[in-house]
Structure formats: C-alpha cells, structure tokens
Amino acid sequence: MATMSGASDAMPAAAAPQVDDVARWRRNLVVLILLTGGVKSTLAFTAVVPGLQLIAAEFHSAADSILSAQFVITLAPIGMALAGLIAGLFVRTSNLRGTMFVALGVSTIAGLMPLVIHNYTLLLITRFILGFSAVVADVAMTSVLAAYFTGGLRSKLIGFRQSISHISTVITMLASGWLAQHYGWRASSLLFVIPGILLLLAFVAFDRPISKERQEQAQDGPQVSLVQLLPLLLLSLIMALGHAMPHYQMPFLLKENGITDAELVSYVPALSAGVSILSALVFGFVYSRFGFATLVAASTLMGIGFIGSGLATSYEMILFFIVIEGVGAGWTMPFFLSRILDRVTTAQRNHAVGLTLASLFIGQFMNPFVTKPIRDAFGLHATFVVMGVGLILITGILGLIVIVRAKAKERALAAA
C-alpha cells in the first residue's frame, strides 16, 4: 500500500505523499472506501425513519405501537454508544484489516435482516447488533485512515468523510422513503447492500495486512493518559448536544412561531445539513492553519446561530441564523476526531477513537433530556438562547486557553 502523509498540526502545508510500487487505482480505492465508510452508520437511521408509521402499524398489538416503533430506532444508537465505549477491546493494531472486514460483514447482514425477520424481539436484537458493528467498523476504518495519513492531509480527509456522511444522509433518506412508500418499510433494508459492496471493494483494496510499522509511522504525539483526553471528550459531548438542536428542537420552535407547513419545516434542518456539508469540506484547510482555535470559531458560530434563532421573529431570520450555525456545526465532529488522533499514540488510537464516537452519540442522545427542564421552565425560545449563551461561554473559556497556550509557546521560543 502507498504511504501518504500530511503536515503536523503546527505545519500549514501538507507533506507530499510518499509513493511506493502500489498501483494508483488501488490507492484511490482505499481512499474511496475510507471516505464512504460512514454511510453504513447513517443507514442505521435513514433506513427506518421514513417507515416508522408502517412499523407502528405492523406491531399494533403492542401496548404502545408508536413507542415500539421508536425502539426500533433507539436500539441502534444504544449499540453504537456501547460499541464506542468498548471498541478498543475488539479493534487492535494487529487486526485492523480483519476487524474492518468482519464488522462490515456483520453490519451488512444485520441491516438486511428485516427483510426476513418478522418477530419484534429479534428485530430489536438485530438493530442493536447493527449499531454495535457499525461503530466497530467506524473505529477500525478511522484507525486505518490514521495509519495511512497524518496531520493536515488526515484532517482534510476527515472533513471530506463528514461531508460525504451528511450527503449520504439526505440521499439515503429519500431513497428509503421511496422504497417504503412503494414496497413497504422492509424494502428500505435493501440499502444495506451498500456496505456489502464496500466490503467486497475492501477485499480488493486491502490486499495485505496493515503492518505495525506503517501504523507507528503515523504516530504523531507522545504517550498521554486517556484521562488527559477527558476534557476533549466532555467538550465533544457538549458540542454534540448542541449539534442536535436543529433536528430535535427546531421543528417545535417553528411551530411556536406559527410555521406548521411540513415542507417549510423540512427546509431548516436540510439547510443546516447542507451548510455543514460545505463547512466540513474546508475543515482541513481551517484546522491546519488555526488548530485548536477552530473549535473556538465553531462554538461561537453555533452559539450565535442558536441565540439568533431563539430571538428571531420571522422564518427568514431563522434561516439566516441556521446558516451561521451550520458553518460551526460542520467543523465540530471532524475537529474532535482530528484532535484526538493528533494527541494519541498508535496503541491508544482505537480506544480513543471509540470513546470519541461514543461521546458524540451520547451527546446527541442526551439532547431531549437536557433541554426538557429548560423548556418547561422558560419555554422553547429561551431554550435556544440558553444553549447559545452556554456555547458562547464555552467559547470564552476556550479562547483564554488558546491565548495562554500561545503566550507560553512564545515564552518558550524566546527562552530558547
């Protein structure tokens, strides 16, 4: 395989790729697989959401058919969160390729199972397995990406990967809705042939084990305790909690503003996702130049977007502030993956990536529970304002950290 590397966080330009005797088409195929690997995780949601009403109708004998249908969604992210916490037990530097193959295969089979399973309990079990295996595959594929790319180039690819995940969410949601409408909710599971195709391509692209030497070459930082990563993991959880606002809370904010047209409501999260796609595409460029300050900018933009949306009096104003929010949202998830990978060694990488993904999933899951007491006490408009103010406060703290670090670095250089 070709060794491709970029600049470290302190270097603005990416180093030129080192090319060996591997064919270019195989290297391009590796990049394609790594960039599109997140599609399987989006399918865990998009393959069932459009058919929720049909799922509720099929399992109408349950005590609460709506809740039963919602459990079908919920079991996948529960599996995802658990997998993130313990993925390091499965994904090791010695078995990256094999784990990636197995996890892709299991997620493909589990995703296709609704085509043949008609028992509700078995359906829930396969959904849990799907979420678990999808994240194990994500951890393995992210570790593979970190083994082949470093620094600025790796950050750019992580940003591209996030953009492709956002795009696949829109496309697969539409495809799933069409399949469910014409052929029933089970037909949407056919979309899981996509990770199956990725698996077949992976067999071709990764024709040899990923050597320990290659992974150690991609090691960027000194040995750190995973406890030292807790501040970053906590920040990722908080930012993910805010990241979920346009999707979890915005439809209800629009309703309070008298906007109930389903088409108009759908435009808002779609606009946030669309702007996030474009924002994530330039993440590597921004991160390679500003480093930790990227999170300061992202938190500021999201905070302004939420405060503005909470105070907005018209639909057009909400759209304007959602654009601002979307720019910051597009940088959050790539930032934490890039930052964690920049700070850990090869041996720590799998545990750290898993914990990062778990914190992001848990943050999104916690959004309804964290916002409910604020909404009950002050109303939904105030909830957006409070969330925005909270992000701005975080920005202030992060800004101080950046300034202190910059001054310490200047003093160290002056002393040298």
Side-chain angles (χ1 to χ4, degrees):
M1 304 295 293
T3 300
M4 307 177 70
S5 62
S8 68
D9 187 42
M11 298 174 60
Q18 302 174 17
V19 182
D20 56 21
D21 60 347
V22 174
R24 180 178 295 274
W25 69 266
R26 194 183 297 277
R27 296 196 302 272
N28 292 337
L29 187 57
V30 167
V31 174
L32 174 66
I33 293 169
L34 295 178
L35 292 184
T36 56
V39 175
K40 68 193 172 314
S41 296
T42 64
L43 279 174
F45 300 93
T46 59
V48 295
V49 169
L52 277 181
Q53 295 181 11
L54 298 174
I55 295 174
E58 178 168 337
F59 298 105
H60 63 276
S61 59
D64 187 336
S65 59
I66 294 178
L67 186 61
S68 297
Q70 291 173 337
F71 273 140
V72 175
I73 297 179
T74 305
L75 262 291
I78 290 176
M80 290 175 169
L82 178 61
L85 293 174
I86 63 175
L89 300 176
F90 302 92
V91 186
R92 301 180 182 276
T93 55
S94 60
N95 68 351
L96 284 184
R97 188 179 68 149
T99 304
M100 178 176 61
F101 290 164
V102 172
L104 277 174
V106 172
S107 60
T108 299
I109 295 171
L112 291 171
M113 288 306 289
L115 292 171
V116 296
I117 287 181
H118 293 268
N119 179 274
Y120 179 70
T121 302
L122 289 178
L123 178 62
L124 294 182
I125 293 173
T126 58
R127 290 287 298 170
F128 177 86
I129 294 173
L130 168 61
F132 191 97
S133 59
V135 167
V136 170
D138 276 338
V139 172
M141 297 177 84
T142 303
S143 296
V144 170
L145 187 150
Y148 281 93
F149 307 95
T150 62
L153 181 55
R154 182 171 65 197
S155 300
K156 291 178 183 178
L157 292 176
I158 289 175
F160 293 159
R161 191 174 190 268
Q162 186 64 32
S163 289
I164 292 173
S165 294
H166 283 308
I167 293 170
S168 69
T169 297
V170 177
I171 295 176
T172 57
M173 184 73 78
L174 295 174
S176 177
W178 185 86
L179 287 169
Q181 178 67 28
H182 291 85
Y183 302 103
W185 69 270
R186 296 178 185 278
S188 299
S189 299
L190 289 170
L191 293 173
F192 276 94
V193 299
I194 296 175
I197 293 172
L198 285 179
L199 175 59
L200 294 177
L201 294 176
F203 284 137
V204 176
F206 298 94
D207 61 329
R208 66 189 71 171
I210 302 168
S211 66
K212 183 178 180 181
E213 290 74 18
R214 178 185 296 281
Q215 297 181 59
E216 290 175 345
Q217 289 173 359
Q219 179 173 315
D220 290 325
Q223 178 81 19
V224 297
S225 169
L226 290 180
V227 176
Q228 294 176 265
L229 299 178
L230 285 179
L232 270 177
L233 294 173
L234 179 60
L235 277 174
S236 68
L237 188 150
I238 294 172
M239 296 299 288
L241 193 151
H243 195 279
M245 290 294 289
H247 304 278
Y248 284 47
Q249 307 296 336
M250 183 57 73
F252 304 104
L253 179 71
L254 292 173
K255 183 178 180 180
E256 289 195 1
N257 284 1
I259 301 168
T260 57
D261 184 285
E263 187 174 3
L264 292 177
V265 171
S266 67
Y267 287 159
V268 179
L271 178 62
S272 176
V275 174
S276 294
I277 291 169
L278 300 176
S279 177
L281 285 174
V282 300
F283 165 78
F285 174 85
V286 175
Y287 181 70
S288 64
R289 283 156 178 77
F290 301 104
F292 192 77
T294 305
L295 183 60
V296 177
S299 182
T300 300
L301 292 170
M302 290 178 67
I304 293 173
F306 291 150
I307 293 173
S309 297
L311 299 177
T313 57
S314 69
Y315 181 72
E316 291 74 19
M317 288 181 64
I318 290 177
L319 292 179
F320 172 77
F321 284 110
I322 281 298
V323 170
I324 297 175
E325 177 273 335
V327 175
W331 291 340
T332 53
M333 295 182 74
F335 171 84
F336 290 109
L337 276 177
S338 296
R339 201 69 181 179
I340 291 291
L341 289 173
D342 287 345
R343 294 296 178 268
V344 299
T345 63
T346 299
Q348 297 172 313
R349 186 182 297 146
N350 303 326
H351 292 281
V353 171
L355 291 174
T356 304
L357 293 176
S359 68
L360 293 170
F361 284 123
I362 292 172
Q364 293 178 352
F365 177 77
M366 288 176 56
N367 179 277
F369 304 101
V370 173
T371 57
K372 186 181 187 306
I374 305 174
R375 186 179 72 248
D376 291 343
F378 305 105
L380 194 53
H381 287 81
T383 300
F384 271 82
V385 174
V386 170
M387 293 292 292
V389 170
L391 290 175
I392 295 294
L393 290 176
I394 292 173
T395 298
I397 297 173
L398 295 178
L400 288 174
I401 293 174
V402 171
I403 294 172
V404 170
R405 286 184 174 181
K407 289 184 176 180
K409 186 176 182 180
E410 290 176 2
R411 287 194 297 269
L413 291 175

